[in-house]
Amino acid sequence: MHQALVDAFAELRVATVLMHAIVPRGCELICEYFAIDSDVFFSWEHIFDTTDELIRSLGEEPGTHRVKVLPPRFDFFAYQA
């Protein structure tokens, strides 16, 4: 289960970077909920980094990074005025 979550995060991050030009606000919300600096999250320099490498680039130890709590049934891409 642990490896599945690590892989899912990596896939979501790459997909989010690719979608950022099309749906910027939704992608920025994903970044906000992962609590990662957007300059690092959306950087092509980090696109192939593992989750642990990405967290280390923030100056944190892997396994200690805290994310923002996601409410049930939250839609990152719903229209928000």
Side-chain angles (χ1 to χ4, degrees):
M1 181 57 116
H2 173 77
Q3 190 60 47
L5 289 173
V6 169
D7 292 345
F9 170 73
E11 292 170 11
L12 176 61
R13 188 168 52 91
V14 170
T16 303
V17 171
L18 293 172
M19 292 187 304
H20 189 238
I22 300 165
V23 282
R25 183 63 190 132
C27 293
E28 289 163 6
L29 273 174
I30 291 171
C31 178
E32 180 182 318
Y33 273 84
F34 275 120
I36 295 176
D37 178 44
S38 62
D39 291 336
V40 175
F41 190 90
F42 294 112
S43 169
W44 284 97
E45 292 179 27
H46 297 284
I47 198 70
F48 295 116
D49 287 358
T50 65
T51 302
D52 288 349
E53 291 168 341
L54 183 67
I55 296 304
R56 278 191 195 98
S57 74
L58 300 171
E60 299 179 38
E61 280 298 312
T64 63
H65 183 75
R66 295 285 176 202
V67 297
K68 188 174 176 181
V69 176
L70 185 64
R73 302 179 57 108
F74 186 80
D75 186 352
F76 288 98
F77 300 102
Y79 176 75
Q80 299 167 3

